[in-house]
Amino acid sequence: MQKKKRKEVALYGNYRNYYGYRIGQDLEEDPRLKAMKKEWFEGKDCLDIGCNSGVITIAIAQKFSCRSILGIDIDGARVNDAYWTLRRKVKSIRTVPAGGDKLAESNTVNYLKDPVAESLNKRAKNDCTSPHHLQEGGFFDIVSFKKGDFIQNLHPRDNTSYDTIICLSVSKWVHLNWGDEGLITLFSKVWRLLSPGGVFILEPQPWKSYYDNRLVSETTRINYQNIKIRPEDFQDILLDKIGFRMVEDITSSVSGCKTGFKRPILAFWK
């Protein structure tokens, strides 16, 4: 008798191959990119909280020409996946024939002190050629990844700031693992890290999906029972308590999302 395959348990929403079933094979890009405006990213320093395998992080860098974008994830395995994703992307858009200019002159990404990730980064630089639209240094000067717990253990330097911060389908996992206090910590840290006039792009999951994932751990079970703040309250909290001055609902610009992933997307300005 064939054994039934065990269902993957992702305590922080850090599913393997997440984008494979979120986007699917029939779409050229993540539909959420349609809701985002180039001026929010072009020439800007950006942060992606909960980057998973880096698909969205890299797509934003390529489509909107960021000056820099850092993807953070709590799971080191997903961060290593993100380096592989970056390497494959650069190889897929190479424009210089084999033996041409390499990315060897690009600065080594030093945000992650993980030997596996550093090894992947070096191999990627040796194997890949620079895309024509990023001739000044290539993806490896622009895109980087870091393993880190944004809520509890990440303490950026005082002079660290970003023009745009995205947090897509992550707030539920913060909420379930760290409760209302963790959610407020997330919003407060984002506020502190944003430059004046910066934009925070948030895609909160609906309350129903909290119920579906409440039993992934004893911590999430207890926190689920004690949560007082609901997703429909996030906008008021961000505007009235955290201090954002303006919000735009950009959900209507999104089309083509797979069933189960049609979620609101909000842009908040500091």
Side-chain angles (χ1 to χ4, degrees):
M1 184 176 177
Q2 188 176 9
K3 289 185 178 180
K4 187 176 180 181
K5 189 176 181 181
R6 292 183 63 186
K7 185 178 180 181
E8 179 185 10
V9 176
L11 299 180
Y12 306 103
N14 48 316
Y15 295 102
R16 204 172 175 187
N17 300 320
Y18 169 75
Y19 289 106
Y21 62 82
R22 165 127 201 184
I23 303 174
Q25 303 300 316
D26 54 335
L27 297 174
E28 292 184 3
E29 68 175 17
D30 192 306
R32 293 173 293 182
L33 292 173
K34 297 184 180 72
M36 300 181 190
K37 298 177 182 178
K38 189 168 187 176
E39 59 261 32
W40 298 344
F41 302 96
E42 187 174 24
K44 304 291 179 65
D45 295 314
C46 308
L47 175 66
D48 180 7
I49 301 171
C51 64
N52 197 274
S53 62
V55 172
I56 276 277
T57 320
I58 295 165
I60 286 173
Q62 183 180 16
K63 182 171 184 175
F64 299 124
S65 304
C66 305
R67 179 166 61 186
S68 72
I69 185 164
L70 170 63
I72 294 178
D73 202 277
I74 197 170
D75 187 344
R78 299 292 77 79
V79 171
N80 288 338
D81 289 345
Y83 277 106
W84 281 110
T85 305
L86 180 59
R87 180 172 180 259
R88 288 195 301 269
K89 171 57 70 174
V90 175
K91 288 185 73 172
S92 73
I93 59 176
R94 74 169 79 192
T95 58
V96 182
D101 293 336
K102 301 290 184 179
L103 282 175
E105 295 181 0
S106 299
N107 294 324
T108 301
V109 175
N110 57 12
Y111 293 97
L112 185 69
K113 300 303 181 183
D114 185 299
V116 176
E118 289 181 344
S119 174
L120 294 178
N121 192 43
K122 289 176 183 176
R123 287 178 61 184
K125 287 190 177 187
N126 290 333
D127 289 352
C128 304
T129 53
S130 178
H132 68 278
H133 62 291
L134 294 173
Q135 291 178 3
E136 300 257 331
F139 272 161
F140 292 98
D141 290 325
I142 296 169
V143 183
S144 57
F145 297 101
K146 177 178 181 178
K147 177 183 181 296
D149 180 344
F150 187 80
I151 304 303
Q152 291 191 315
N153 299 325
L154 197 68
H155 304 290
R157 294 186 298 269
D158 290 340
N159 61 348
T160 300
S161 66
Y162 299 94
D163 302 296
T164 301
I165 298 177
I166 67 172
C167 185
L168 306 178
S169 288
V170 170
S171 55
K172 172 184 73 176
W173 297 104
V174 170
H175 216 170
L176 283 174
N177 281 283
W178 291 283
D180 288 340
E181 183 178 348
L183 183 78
I184 297 301
T185 298
L186 168 68
F187 292 161
S188 298
K189 277 192 174 182
V190 166
W191 166 262
R192 291 198 302 271
L193 284 170
L194 268 179
S195 301
V199 60
F200 173 42
I201 301 169
L202 175 69
E203 180 190 38
Q205 296 100 316
W207 179 248
K208 179 186 178 299
S209 72
Y210 282 61
Y211 178 84
D212 296 339
N213 295 112
R214 73 196 188 286
L215 300 180
V216 297
S217 72
E218 181 65 10
T219 296
T220 59
R221 185 189 69 80
I222 293 171
N223 283 336
Y224 176 79
Q225 295 175 340
N226 294 319
I227 285 173
K228 299 291 191 294
I229 302 171
R230 298 296 179 91
E232 56 267 27
D233 302 324
F234 291 1
Q235 179 171 313
D236 288 341
I237 288 172
L238 284 161
L239 292 173
D240 299 336
K241 294 187 177 180
I242 303 299
F244 285 89
R245 60 184 175 84
M246 185 173 68
V247 62
E248 180 183 351
D249 187 334
I250 57 177
T251 313
S252 61
S253 301
V254 180
S255 61
C257 288
K258 295 183 73 174
T259 302
F261 291 103
K262 295 178 180 178
R263 298 165 179 169
I265 303 180
L266 306 170
F268 295 87
W269 278 264
K270 181 173 179 178

